[in-house]
Amino acid sequence: MTIGISIALILSSSLMVLLVLLHKGKGGGLSDMFGGGFSSSFGGSSVVERNLDRLTIITGVIWFICIVALGLLLRP
């Protein structure tokens, strides 16, 4: 059980880093490489940005649940 949660934690951590880097920042960032700068010229938040926000939040919740579960399992 501990190994499974540890693997889920590693995967969610890696995905979280990738998703945060894809977000549109004030200076552009990596999201411009994948078309983020093109959609910003139309104004407002695009559907892609909203879906990226939702996916980031879901990944963060999964990451938090994994941390809490590991803490409870490894408690003496």
Side-chain angles (χ1 to χ4, degrees), residues 2-74:
T2 305
I3 293 174
I5 295 175
S6 297
I7 291 171
L9 179 64
I10 292 169
L11 291 175
S12 64
S13 298
S14 302
L15 184 60
M16 180 70 78
V17 168
L18 178 68
L19 290 173
V20 168
L21 287 176
L22 284 176
H23 275 280
K24 176 85 172 128
K26 293 185 180 196
L30 287 178
S31 63
D32 283 339
M33 231 182 345
F34 300 107
F38 178 72
S39 65
S40 67
S41 64
F42 294 112
S45 180
S46 68
V47 175
V48 175
E49 279 290 324
R50 282 182 285 180
N51 288 337
L52 188 61
D53 290 341
R54 290 179 188 143
L55 190 58
T56 305
I57 290 170
I58 291 169
T59 306
V61 169
I62 292 171
W63 180 83
F64 182 75
I65 290 171
C66 289
I67 292 288
V68 171
L70 273 177
L72 290 176
L73 285 175
L74 298 177

